[in-house]
Structures are given as structure tokens and as C-alpha cells.
């Protein structure tokens, strides 16, 4: 009996400590995505970022031309946009490269201030993060073997299709809600789009469903073996994701995007990466 009373006391003390630190908003947490509700007590998210001298962006650098590795360096359209966001705050840009399906957790856990990853703003994701204004119109494209029998999206019915895990291409092909027009036979999931393309070339799958510009880049590099269908499966819009309720940061990102759109800088960046033969 005595023992269990003592145990209860320890539990209560631990619970009190836990709830105290929860009230502090995680206390020791760095500039990454601190809660904007702190703004009333002096340290807003943007103040914290400025004080730390850096802002953290997470991405998945397997998605040329939006983010990819050039040697050790991560480059691409989203990196250029992210740099402008950091410049606007006068801080350094730090980049985390993680699996695509870990990007939303990067934000919800506070490891990243924002995600720029050619990420489509959709309602399912909106349950967990907030999105900026959109900065690019995209869609899911289909890559096939050059001399194969898939000539149009409808030929995908019943076929074995490769996708990048957790993407909108994965969602479309998996078709959990039964709303997709095409009913593929089976879905193979890959961490990297490139691995799906390699399996297509090797004949292990029949097609790859991935966003149109990355698809174009993959085809450019293997144009003797693979091709992209003209018709797309979906139409989507890319946006930058932040922690839910972080209006201060989303406003700053929207301002940056607007300036880049108005000045023509954003278009110049697209032209530079989309025209580039790789
Ligand atoms: N637009 C798609 C989506 O939001 C694919 C994005 C993949 N991005 C990447 N960096 N791998 O699901």
C-alpha cells in the first residue's frame, strides 16, 4: 500500500512536469516552427527565427527540377524560392532532405518551419498543415516503355504501376475511395521516383505515375527507352506547407511569392529549370 502511494506521487509529479512543459510550448524548442500563439507574449515565430539566424525547410530531393542533388548540393526551383523566403527574413536557409512521406511529420513535430517539395495542396494534407498560395500548376503524368502497348491513360487499367510513396500519384493509383477514373491492377511503391523508372526500364512494372515535370526530366535522360503520355491523370497545384495556425509565416511566404510573381523572377526560375537539358 505504502509503495503504491509513493508510486502515485511520482506519477503525479511527472504529470505536473509534463503539463508544465506543454504550457511552455516546448520551452527549449529552436526557431523551427514555434507556435504563433506565442506572439502575444513577445516571441513570435518570425522573431524566434530571426533570433536563431536560420529558417529550416524540409524537402525530398528526388524530384528534378523542383529539388534534386547536384553533387552534394540540393538545388532546384523550390530551393530558389526557399532562399528568397530566408533572404526576406535576413536569415540562413537550412535544408533537411527526408523521405517524401515524412514531410508532413517534419512540420507537425516542429523539425521544419516549412516544406517546399513540389507538394500538392490537397484537402487531406490541409487537415494537418496550412498551405501558402499556390505557385505552380501540375498534374500526374504517365511514363511508359517506348514501344509498349500503353498508348493512353485508359490502357493503364489492370496494369502494374510504380509511384513514389505518399504522393498524389500514389493516392490516385491506390484509389482507396474508388474515385479515380483509371483502375490500375497493382501499385508498386518506391522511395525515389528514379527507382520506379529503373524498374520500368527493366520491365518489372508497366508504367510510372509521377508529376509531369519530373516525368519530363526522367524521359529526357532515357529518351531511347521511355516516353510520357500526352494526357495527364489529374490537375494539381503546388504550395508551401507550414504548421497549422502559423499565419505569420504563411503571410510572409505569400508576400515573397507575390513579389516573385510580380517581378517575373518566378517565371525566370521556371524557365531556367524547365528548359535546362539534363
Ligand atoms: N506533387 C506530388 C505530391 O504532392 C508529388 C511531390 C513529390 N515531391 C518530392 N519532392 N518528391 O504528392
Amino acid at each position: 500500500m505504502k509503495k503504491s502511494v509513493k508510486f502515485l506521487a511520482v506519477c503525479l509529479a511527472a504529470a505536473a512536469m509534463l503539463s508544465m512543459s506543454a504550457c511552455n510550448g516546448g520551452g527549449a524548442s529552436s526557431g523551427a516552427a514555434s507556435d504563433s500563439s506565442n506572439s502575444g507574449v513577445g516571441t513570435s515565430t518570425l522573431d524566434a527565427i530571426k533570433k536563431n539566424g536560420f529558417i529550416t525547410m524540409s524537402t525530398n530531393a528526388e524530384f528534378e527540377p523542383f529539388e534534386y542533388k547536384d553533387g552534394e548540393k540540393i538545388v532546384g526551383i523550390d530551393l530558389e524560392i526557399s532562399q528568397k523566403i530566408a533572404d526576406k527574413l535576413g536569415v540562413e536557409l537550412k535544408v533537411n532532405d527526408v523521405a517524401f512521406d515524412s514531410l508532413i511529420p517534419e512540420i507537425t513535430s516542429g523539425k521544419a518551419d516549412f516544406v517546399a517539395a513540389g507538394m500538392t495542396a490537397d484537402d487531406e494534407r490541409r487537415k494537418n498543415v496550412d498551405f501558402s498560395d499556390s505557385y505552380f500548376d501540375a498534374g500526374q503524368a504517365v511514363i511508359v516503355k517506348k514501344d509498349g502497348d500503353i498508348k493512353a491513360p485508359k490502357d493503364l487499367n489492370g496494369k502494374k504501376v510504380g509511384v513514389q510513396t505518399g504522393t498524389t500519384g500514389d493516392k490516385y493509383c491506390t484509389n482507396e475511395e474508388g474515385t479515380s477514373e483509371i483502375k490500375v491492377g497493382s501499385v508498386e511503391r518506391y522511395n525515389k521516383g528514379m527507382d520506379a523508372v529503373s524498374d520500368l526500364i527493366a520491365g518489372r512494372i508497366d508504367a510510372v505515375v509521377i508529376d509531369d515535370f519530373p516525368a519530363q526530366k526522367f524521359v529526357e535522360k532515357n529518351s531511347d527507352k521511355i516516353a510520357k503520355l500526352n494526357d495527364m491523370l489529374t490537375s494539381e497545384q503546388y504550395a508551401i506547407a507550414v504548421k497549422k495556425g502559423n499565419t505569420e509565416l504563411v503571410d510572409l511566404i505569400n508576400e515573397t511569392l507575390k513579389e516573385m510573381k510580380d517581378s517575373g523572377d518566378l517565371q525566370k526560375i521556371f524557365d531556367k529549370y524547365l528548359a535546362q537539358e539534363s
Side-chain angles (χ1 to χ4, degrees):
M1 184 63 190
K2 217 174 175 186
K3 207 172 176 186
S4 67
V5 169
K6 194 169 169 196
F7 177 69
L8 184 70
V10 171
C11 285
L12 282 173
M17 271 163 69
L18 266 176
S19 65
M20 260 163 67
S21 66
C23 293
N24 287 341
S29 83
S30 70
S34 47
D35 196 339
S36 64
S37 62
N38 284 345
S39 48
V41 290
T43 45
S44 74
T45 313
L46 298 189
D47 287 343
I49 290 169
K50 284 183 197 152
K51 191 161 162 254
N52 285 316
F54 65 87
I55 188 163
T56 308
M57 177 276 246
S58 289
T59 194
N60 168 251
E62 302 292 341
F63 203 63
E64 189 180 350
F66 289 89
E67 43 269 333
Y68 58 103
K69 286 175 210 110
D70 183 9
E72 288 291 283
K73 220 175 160 238
I74 299 174
V75 296
I77 295 167
D78 285 324
L79 277 292
E80 302 233 6
I81 296 173
S82 299
Q83 188 59 55
K84 289 271 190 218
I85 294 167
D87 291 349
K88 198 161 174 67
L89 284 162
V91 297
E92 188 200 330
L93 176 69
K94 287 198 181 178
V95 179
N96 293 338
D97 181 21
V98 304
F100 185 78
D101 57 353
S102 299
L103 287 172
I104 301 263
E106 286 278 298
I107 291 189
T108 51
S109 70
K111 284 191 192 139
D113 295 297
F114 67 98
V115 160
M119 184 177 272
T120 302
D122 70 11
D123 289 344
E124 196 176 317
R125 291 174 180 154
R126 274 183 214 284
K127 287 181 197 153
N128 298 303
V129 295
D130 284 345
F131 282 106
S132 70
D133 295 338
S134 74
Y135 62 92
F136 193 76
D137 293 331
Q140 294 303 305
V142 184
I143 311 177
V144 295
K145 274 285 223 5
K146 220 170 174 180
D147 305 313
D149 56 356
I150 304 176
K151 306 282 182 214
K154 65 169 175 31
D155 301 329
L156 282 178
N157 283 310
K159 291 289 201 292
K160 193 169 175 183
V161 178
V163 298
Q164 191 185 19
T165 310
T167 59
T168 43
D170 182 355
K171 202 175 162 198
Y172 182 89
C173 292
T174 304
N175 193 17
E176 253 174 31
E177 282 129 44
T179 48
S180 306
E181 214 172 306
I182 309 293
K183 318 272 185 252
V184 310
S186 63
V187 182
E188 292 291 316
R189 296 185 182 81
Y190 299 84
N191 265 332
K192 305 177 181 182
M194 188 58 228
D195 293 343
V197 171
S198 302
D199 267 9
L200 171 66
I201 292 171
R204 284 189 279 269
I205 54 177
D206 302 310
V208 174
V209 168
I210 196 161
D211 301 47
D212 49 351
F213 278 110
Q216 187 175 310
K217 292 288 174 188
F218 286 130
V219 170
E220 274 169 17
K221 287 183 191 136
N222 302 278
S223 56
D224 52 331
K225 303 187 190 81
I226 56 175
K228 185 168 79 102
L229 298 186
N230 290 331
D231 290 334
M232 286 204 275
L233 302 176
T234 62
S235 80
E236 309 178 6
Q237 294 190 311
Y238 294 168
I240 292 171
V242 303
K243 193 170 191 160
K244 254 198 162 320
N246 194 347
T247 47
E248 240 194 333
L249 183 57
V250 100
D251 288 350
L252 179 115
I253 292 173
N254 284 340
E255 234 176 85
T256 311
L257 287 172
K258 188 174 182 318
E259 281 168 17
M260 292 179 80
K261 284 175 193 167
D262 291 350
S263 66
D265 278 0
L266 193 60
Q267 192 55 49
K268 273 190 207 134
I269 294 171
F270 291 141
D271 293 345
K272 170 172 143 196
Y273 283 92
L274 301 178
Q276 195 172 291
E277 282 290 318
S278 38

